[in-house]
Amino acid sequence: MNQPEPSLALTNALLIDGTGGPVIDGATVVVSSGRITAAETGAPVPPHTTVVDLGGKAVLPGLIDAHVHLGGLGFRSTPPFGGRAATDDYAAAREGALRYGVTTQRSLGDFLHDSIAVRDGIENGTLAGARIVTSGPSFQVEGGHPNATVWGSEPAAVREGARMPKTTEEAERMVDELAAAGVDLVKIIISNNAIFGPARPELKMPWHLTEAIADAAHARGLRVAAHTETVEDARAAVERGVDDIEHLVLRAEEPQDEAAAEALFALMADRGTYLVPTMVAHQFEAAADGDARTLRYGNHLVRRAYEAGVRLGVGSDAHSPGLHGWKLRDELVMTVHDQGIPAPAALSMATKTNAELLSIADRLGTVEPGKIADLLIVSGNPARDITAIGRVHQVIRSGRVVFDGEGA
């Protein structure tokens, strides 16, 4: 079980609180019983508090990765996708993320009961790692992505990780079952199967089923995330009520219809629909020479969405051992250096906005009194130089240091 942590005061800190407000130099962040009790310049330090002088290091909210998968075993593995038994309770995903300051991850397609059990184990302290918000399995089309692509129709993966309704009644019943099991949201795959070859529109989720799933989820208080691969599909999904678009496009090098993109972003901004671009989805190794500034996406759709007022989240699509954590770092660097979005805005997207998207903003996402003390301490000022986000000094979860070391 989690034990109460002793009071802690982080002094002489460069505070980037995630709210989008100005950076505060010389701040003090006070933590007691796992919660933030003060975060300001000159905050009083209670007696019997452990004081740590950060010497100007930056303190931020723990990062949130809005798009991961926990059970991937690698494209060449057999099976390629698994649950708790095959992954040691998703150890690589839940523990690896912490090394890079990712203290919460949203799983968008994993085994139902396994992902819920590990989520709950992390919360009650029986397992270590980044917090988990999970959709459990994703809604897919039989013979489509990922059941027949990444998973190769492997029976256990299909059975545990996919829901494939043929009618609206089946879709509604399946949403009911997921809600009863305790998922945090619902995920729909709207794929042309164009990731691995020519488009096959016949394997795309029918729009009447998309709408039925979204309506059923909303009736149960659950948000809906939709994987899309084209601007046109993203617009159709938004029109049918999904709450956030994942990926948007997966072939960024292909020309996009600028007018269609502008119309989509205007619609998303009007409806408050989120976008999680996952620009590094197809990146499987850290950037050359470890410098994520070398990365390029292929178009500036993300910047255009930002300028249009779309709510932007940040996600990596990390899905296999060794990918969790650093991919979100690279996504942030890419957001700033390739897309031209200001670093303070990008940091707020990966903390405050992601917390809002995950429906956890009442307790996480900013460094403010009353919030859970999930904190990232880095050397340098990532609001000025976003690459400093990779110079991890310490990671704190619920007021306790869970990773200690420079340059993860």
Side-chain angles (χ1 to χ4, degrees):
M1 296 295 292
N2 286 328
Q3 298 297 320
E5 296 299 326
S7 296
L8 173 69
L10 304 172
T11 65
N12 195 17
L14 185 72
L15 177 59
I16 305 170
D17 64 13
T19 66
V23 174
I24 303 173
D25 200 3
T28 296
V29 178
V30 181
V31 175
S32 180
S33 298
R35 295 265 178 175
I36 299 164
T37 59
E40 59 184 339
T41 302
V45 177
H48 312 297
T49 297
T50 300
V51 178
V52 178
D53 186 339
L54 291 182
K57 292 183 176 67
V59 176
L60 306 88
L63 301 177
I64 299 171
D65 193 332
H67 191 134
V68 305
H69 302 275
L70 305 171
L73 300 170
F75 287 130
R76 295 177 179 84
S77 299
T78 304
F81 196 74
R84 297 177 66 182
T87 62
D88 188 18
D89 290 332
Y90 303 129
R94 59 184 166 81
E95 296 174 0
L98 288 178
R99 296 178 57 86
Y100 295 88
V102 177
T103 54
T104 301
Q105 303 181 97
R106 183 174 64 155
S107 158
L108 290 181
D110 276 293
F111 287 14
L112 174 59
H113 298 292
D114 286 4
S115 62
I116 289 174
V118 171
R119 174 198 69 187
D120 294 347
I122 290 169
E123 283 303 307
N124 66 33
T126 59
L127 290 172
R131 303 176 196 278
I132 292 172
V133 170
T134 183
S135 69
S138 57
F139 281 88
Q140 308 171 23
V141 173
E142 186 174 357
H145 181 69
N147 62 84
T149 54
V150 177
W151 301 348
S153 300
E154 197 278 323
V158 173
R159 181 179 64 252
E160 301 294 338
R163 294 295 182 269
M164 299 183 288
K166 301 293 195 301
T167 66
T168 57
E169 291 78 15
E170 283 185 346
E172 291 165 358
R173 175 179 55 79
M174 290 175 179
V175 171
D176 281 344
E177 291 170 352
L178 295 182
V183 299
D184 300 298
L185 75 153
V186 167
K187 166 78 176 296
I188 308 174
I189 303 288
I190 302 171
S191 172
N192 287 293
N193 273 39
I195 307 170
F196 301 95
R200 297 187 61 188
E202 72 276 11
L203 294 177
K204 182 164 60 180
M205 180 68 68
W207 294 116
H208 70 283
L209 293 184
T210 297
E211 189 166 4
I213 293 165
D215 287 348
H218 292 155
R220 289 148 189 80
L222 299 173
R223 280 185 165 157
V224 180
H227 161 124
T228 69
E229 299 163 14
T230 69
V231 169
E232 293 75 20
D233 283 352
R235 173 158 189 160
V238 172
E239 290 173 340
R240 285 158 179 82
V242 306
D243 301 290
D244 83 271
I245 295 296
E246 300 295 314
H247 311 304
L248 181 61
V249 297
L250 283 173
R251 288 183 170 179
E253 72 282 357
E254 294 180 349
Q256 302 298 320
D257 184 327
E258 293 190 11
E262 296 300 334
L264 167 65
F265 297 148
L267 178 65
M268 293 178 71
D270 181 63
R271 295 197 176 188
T273 310
Y274 292 83
L275 171 62
V276 180
T278 69
M279 294 179 287
V280 296
H282 292 161
Q283 180 192 352
F284 303 113
E285 295 180 354
D289 301 319
D291 187 353
R293 291 173 295 182
T294 63
L295 297 175
R296 294 292 179 266
Y297 183 46
N299 63 56
H300 289 109
L301 284 179
V302 180
R303 182 178 67 198
R304 289 162 61 188
Y306 172 78
E307 291 171 345
V310 176
R311 295 180 181 179
L312 284 172
V314 185
S316 69
D317 201 8
H319 50 70
S320 299
L323 300 183
H324 297 81
W326 66 260
K327 286 192 73 170
L328 189 74
R329 174 202 66 195
D330 285 7
E331 181 83 5
L332 274 169
V333 175
M334 207 173 182
T335 298
V336 176
H337 283 281
D338 183 56
Q339 296 295 308
I341 294 173
L347 293 169
S348 187
M349 286 157 45
T351 53
K352 181 178 183 288
T353 304
N354 272 359
E356 292 166 350
L357 171 60
L358 274 59
S359 300
I360 56 174
D362 60 325
R363 56 193 183 277
L364 292 164
T366 57
V367 184
E368 296 178 289
K371 297 290 183 76
I372 295 172
D374 283 9
L375 303 170
L376 167 61
I377 304 171
V378 300
S379 298
N381 181 356
R384 184 175 296 165
D385 171 13
I386 191 63
T387 64
I389 203 69
R391 296 195 284 274
V392 176
H393 174 69
Q394 282 186 333
V395 180
I396 294 173
R397 184 185 176 281
S398 292
R400 182 174 65 86
V401 175
V402 292
F403 178 73
D404 192 347
E406 286 279 339

